[in-house]
């Protein structure tokens, strides 16, 4: 079981800040750098960009320092067995700089850990174990992310927007209305979206509307006209045409078969 020993978020220091533990801290240390820094790995100084992370293995030298007037980081001291089956599934490499594809997701998990640390529930240790594993899985995913994902400055916004499209497709009637959500021009938005996810936003929107319609047809007594409106179509004729193009069945036929 993984255990939390100590943690801190948004710790701020000045230009003179430096940590130098030549024999490590005796446990695993996760550092998430919110500002640029310098870190030594295998005795070699390396520049670290903001929103990068390092997970130190036990007894590994922990040497890092500020490189500007302000230094900010999050940190977690924890015990996590590096040789168990869980670590083999994360793809996470110890003592290696990881560029976070979405630092906000890692921070959300850390906020939950911070709240759980104050609880007195009987299952506290089990909750913390799961949260630490969730965090390490996120870090492992970031380590496997493609350069396009890591470097796209709109990654977080686009990812959240895509999740919103699939959860509530009926609120969107056009690509222009979606581009407004992220304050981008429609052409620029469409290019970034396709680069990010390998599929056009238009195709994603149609897929989301079709999946929503299939759910309503299978699980509710809503009329075709009501489903058309719930999925954001201007009229049921357009809805029926799009539905058949994508499923090979009319809405009525799909409902009868399910």
């Amino acid at each position: 079981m993984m255990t939390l020993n100590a943690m801190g978020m948004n710790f701020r220091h000045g230009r003179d800040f430096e940590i130098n533990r030549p024999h490590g801290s005796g446990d695993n240390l996760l550092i998430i750098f919110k500002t640029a820094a310098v870190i030594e790995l295998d005795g070699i100084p390396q520049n670290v960009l903001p929103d990068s992370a390092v997970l130190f293995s036990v007894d590994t030298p922990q040497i890092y320092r500020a490189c500007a007037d302000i230094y900010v980081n999050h940190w977690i001291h924890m015990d996590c067995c590096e040789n168990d089956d869980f670590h083999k599934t994360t793809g996470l490499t110890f003592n290696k700089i990881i560029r976070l594809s979405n630092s906000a997701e890692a921070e959300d998990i850390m906020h939950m850990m911070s709240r759980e640390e104050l609880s007195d529930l009987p299952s506290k240790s089990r909750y913390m174990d799961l949260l630490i594993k969730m965090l390490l899985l996120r870090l492992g995913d970031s380590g496997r992310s493609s350069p396009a994902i890591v470097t796209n400055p709109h990654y977080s916004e686009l990812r959240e927007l895509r999740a919103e499209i699939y959860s509530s497709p009926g609120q969107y009637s056009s690509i222009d209305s979606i581009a407004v959500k992220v304050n981008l021009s429609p052409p620029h938005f469409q290019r970034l979206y396709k680069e990010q996810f390998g599929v056009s936003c238009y195709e994603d929107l149609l897929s989301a509307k079709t999946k929503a319609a299939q759910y309503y047809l299978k699980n509710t007594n809503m009329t075709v006209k009501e489903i058309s409106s719930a999925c954001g179509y201007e009229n049921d004729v357009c809805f029926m045409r799009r539905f058949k193009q994508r499923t090979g069945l009319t809405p009525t036929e799909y409902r009868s078969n399910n």
Side-chain angles (χ1 to χ4, degrees):
M1 180 173 288
M2 301 189 181
T3 57
L4 176 70
N5 298 329
M7 67 175 294
M9 296 190 69
N10 293 310
F11 271 55
R12 300 174 66 89
H13 303 277
R15 177 178 287 275
D16 296 332
F17 173 77
E18 181 176 4
I19 290 293
N20 190 336
R21 304 186 185 107
H23 304 294
S25 55
D27 57 7
N28 299 104
L29 171 64
L30 170 66
I31 298 290
I32 296 180
F33 299 93
K34 298 304 296 178
T35 56
V38 176
I39 185 172
E40 289 190 22
L41 296 173
D42 295 324
I44 302 173
Q46 300 184 46
N47 293 322
V48 180
L49 295 173
D51 289 327
S52 297
V54 172
L55 178 60
F56 290 102
S57 57
V58 177
D59 299 329
T60 297
Q62 300 168 1
I63 304 172
Y64 53 97
R65 60 183 180 272
C67 64
D69 292 336
I70 297 176
Y71 171 87
V72 183
N73 71 0
H74 311 320
W75 51 268
I76 300 177
H77 284 277
M78 57 190 170
D79 292 315
C80 53
C81 179
E82 301 161 28
N83 298 316
D84 65 14
D85 291 337
F86 171 76
H87 281 291
K88 297 175 184 177
T89 66
T90 64
L92 182 62
T93 303
F94 287 84
N95 311 313
K96 177 183 176 182
I97 298 172
I98 304 166
R99 287 285 285 132
L100 301 183
S101 55
N102 189 339
S103 62
E105 291 182 345
E107 289 166 351
D108 285 343
I109 298 172
M110 289 186 68
H111 282 300
M112 287 190 285
M113 292 171 62
S114 180
R115 291 193 295 271
E116 189 58 37
E117 188 180 18
L118 300 174
S119 77
D120 55 1
L121 296 174
S123 299
K124 174 181 176 178
S125 60
R126 294 177 60 190
Y127 290 148
M128 194 63 75
D129 172 61
L130 292 172
L131 288 171
I132 292 174
K133 287 178 177 177
M134 187 187 305
L135 178 60
L136 296 182
L137 282 169
R138 285 295 186 192
L139 294 176
D141 287 344
S142 289
R144 290 189 294 265
S145 295
S146 67
I149 290 178
V150 170
T151 59
N152 187 340
H154 298 283
Y155 172 75
S156 296
E157 291 176 289
L158 291 177
R159 183 169 178 172
E160 291 175 7
L161 180 60
R162 193 184 197 200
E164 192 174 311
I165 288 172
Y166 272 91
S167 63
S168 304
Q171 66 179 304
Y172 300 112
S173 59
S174 67
I175 300 302
D176 288 5
S177 65
I178 300 176
V180 168
K181 295 277 291 185
V182 287
N183 296 315
L184 294 172
S185 67
H188 185 45
F189 164 72
Q190 292 185 78
R191 180 178 62 79
L192 289 178
Y193 196 99
K194 181 70 177 289
E195 288 177 355
Q196 186 66 59
F197 302 115
V199 63
S200 70
C201 184
Y202 179 73
E203 178 65 23
D204 254 355
L205 182 58
L206 288 181
S207 294
K209 288 178 182 291
T210 301
K211 288 182 178 180
Q214 289 173 318
Y215 173 83
Y216 291 136
L217 288 166
K218 186 176 181 179
N219 297 284
T220 76
N221 294 320
M222 295 169 64
T223 66
V224 170
K225 188 176 184 65
E226 289 172 336
I227 293 174
S228 170
S229 178
C231 291
Y233 286 94
E234 294 182 0
N235 57 71
D236 52 346
V237 174
C238 179
F239 162 63
M240 289 187 287
R241 182 173 65 250
R242 293 293 187 196
F243 189 88
K244 186 170 184 178
Q245 286 174 345
R246 301 186 72 81
T247 66
L249 299 170
T250 67
T252 302
E253 289 170 340
Y254 181 87
R255 173 169 271 168
S256 298
N257 292 342
N258 290 275

